[in-house]
Amino acid sequence: MFETNMQFIDLRSDTVTKPSEGMRAAMLAAPVGDDVIDIDPTVVALQDRIARLLGKEAAIFMPSGTMTNQIALRVHCSPGDEFLCESGCHIYNYEQGGFAQLSGLVAKTITGQNGLLDVEQLDGSVRPDNEHMVHTRLLCIENTHNRGAGKVYSLSRVQSLCEWAHSAGLRTHMDGARLFNASVATGVSLEAYSEPFDSISVCFSKGLGAPVGSCLVGSRDFISKARRARKLFGGGMRQVGIIAAGALFALEHQMSRLAEDHEHARLLASAIDECKSFQLADKVPDTNIVIFHVDKNRGTAIQLTESLKQDGILSLPFGPQSVRLVTHHDVSRDQIEHACKVLRGLE
Ligand SMILES: *Cc1c(COP(=O)(O)O)cnc(C)c1O
């Protein structure tokens, strides 16, 4: 199912990137130690770096963004609590309801515009203190929004959502798996985007192009609780500097180039826009994700992805009639231009 043949232009996800030579060299040379019983110096360097970049006291490295999100929920909430989130978000749709399975939480979903919530929609969504009801504890925001075709929140929108949440007594968590894309696309610093949140999750294995890893970022007290939960969830890793070095290298060398991915996504979208049987979720993508609807008369999403594969392009069926393309580090301008030519040739 997963092709490794390099002749394919792989636009299924920004997680398909392979570590570059420079990244592999950095991983090979990384000083390491046992990060569970003691410390791993490379992990400490990564955690310090990302905490500073996001303007928070502390950070903790984990194997996946699912784990950083689920541990954030667990630390912010207690069993029987409720959190608010957007109905298309990753935490609700793509983590097996881990919040319910692992931490006894319930989610209240609110549908935004391309995944983005407005503060007006949240009025009345905190439950009264009443013995019939769960306690509402937390607001989760996804920036950029994956199912929302990589849509970015403006800083002022994030600020007003968090102001509302804090004044309602809630905590705030940002699923920033692609926060680096949001920052590069808008010019809003990582620190400014993070400032209104109590916790932030970022992924190094998406657009940044590292092979493994995510960080959860927040106050020193929050992160020490998260460290305990990480051991419980099986995320304590030993000589983990080997993979943390890939993340450090990605931060250092592969962040500013995200603008190129965004430009590539706009090129793909403009080619798709010329096809009458396709409708883009967002005509001009904000970042590196392009989602489009396929007319039933033309066939299903799976049929389209099969036919694109015949032309050497791998894409992801994202619903019965929708397809996702994601640009990333391992797709060149030439390959994007070739993909655009193929897309333009479709009817
Ligand atoms: C990829 C992703 C995650 C984390 O996924 P993992 O595969 O567990 O690392 C979380 N949120 C969003 C929006 C994502 O795209």
Side-chain angles (χ1 to χ4, degrees), residues 48-341:
D48 287 352
R49 181 88 215 284
I50 199 76
R52 253 201 327 276
L53 273 173
L54 270 58
K56 299 291 184 197
E57 287 176 356
I60 183 166
F61 188 57
M62 299 196 197
S64 72
T66 298
M67 190 180 282
T68 46
N69 279 334
Q70 291 301 327
I71 285 179
L73 295 171
R74 184 175 183 99
V75 175
H76 284 308
C77 303
S78 302
D81 284 347
E82 175 186 66
F83 64 95
L84 309 177
C85 63
E86 203 281 326
S87 55
C89 76
H90 196 279
I91 288 176
Y92 186 71
N93 292 281
Y94 298 120
E95 300 181 10
Q96 288 190 18
F99 52 85
Q101 297 205 53
L102 303 170
S103 302
L105 309 180
V106 290
K108 178 165 181 164
T109 58
I110 302 151
T111 301
Q113 183 78 34
N114 280 27
L116 306 193
L117 294 171
D118 254 324
V119 72
E120 290 77 29
Q121 296 182 271
L122 299 180
D123 276 332
S125 58
V126 175
R127 294 180 192 268
D129 190 5
N130 170 325
E131 72 179 77
H132 294 285
M133 295 183 183
V134 294
H135 291 300
T136 312
R137 292 285 185 216
L138 175 72
L139 171 67
C140 295
I141 295 296
E142 186 172 308
N143 191 21
T144 70
H145 199 287
N146 176 20
R147 282 204 74 88
K151 212 72 189 138
V152 171
Y153 273 99
S154 69
L155 180 59
S156 62
R157 196 158 170 178
V158 156
Q159 284 168 333
S160 56
L161 286 165
C162 290
E163 252 167 53
W164 172 88
H166 288 140
S167 67
L170 308 187
R171 296 193 188 128
T172 53
H173 171 72
M174 172 160 57
D175 178 354
R178 296 188 179 82
L179 182 62
F180 306 104
N181 295 84
S183 174
V184 166
T186 56
V188 173
S189 70
L190 295 168
E191 180 168 2
Y193 262 139
S194 304
E195 195 276 329
F197 290 92
D198 297 300
S199 62
I200 305 101
S201 161
V202 293
C203 292
F204 306 110
S205 57
K206 298 278 164 81
L208 283 189
V212 189
S214 297
C215 268
L216 183 60
V217 189
S219 70
R220 211 166 277 121
D221 176 57
F222 175 83
I223 294 302
S224 77
K225 290 178 178 142
R227 186 176 169 96
R228 233 187 115 67
R230 184 184 67 170
K231 189 70 182 73
L232 173 68
F233 282 36
M237 299 179 286
R238 305 294 178 171
Q239 285 71 27
V240 63
I242 292 276
I243 54 174
L248 262 176
F249 183 93
L251 273 178
E252 217 61 67
H253 302 284
Q254 299 185 169
M255 183 150 83
S256 57
R257 62 154 303 286
L258 290 173
E260 204 178 301
D261 293 346
H262 301 168
E263 194 191 336
H264 289 170
R266 289 193 292 271
L267 290 173
L268 290 171
S270 73
I272 289 161
D273 204 25
E274 290 177 23
C275 274
K276 284 194 187 62
S277 44
F278 302 152
Q279 285 88 45
L280 288 159
D282 197 15
K283 279 219 175 216
V284 182
D286 281 354
T287 55
N288 67 331
I289 300 177
V290 181
I291 295 175
F292 60 100
H293 181 268
V294 183
D295 264 9
K296 283 211 167 108
N297 297 336
R298 202 197 177 284
T300 63
I302 289 174
Q303 285 168 333
L304 178 63
T305 57
E306 283 302 320
S307 105
L308 285 171
K309 191 173 169 184
Q310 300 303 315
D311 289 317
I313 297 163
L314 300 181
S315 57
L316 200 72
F318 214 52
Q321 296 300 135
S322 76
V323 172
R324 189 185 77 168
L325 302 174
V326 186
T327 59
H328 55 78
H329 181 272
D330 291 2
V331 184
S332 68
R333 178 61 165 246
D334 282 353
Q335 289 179 309
I336 291 294
E337 281 170 7
H338 177 74
C340 286
K341 209 179 295 168

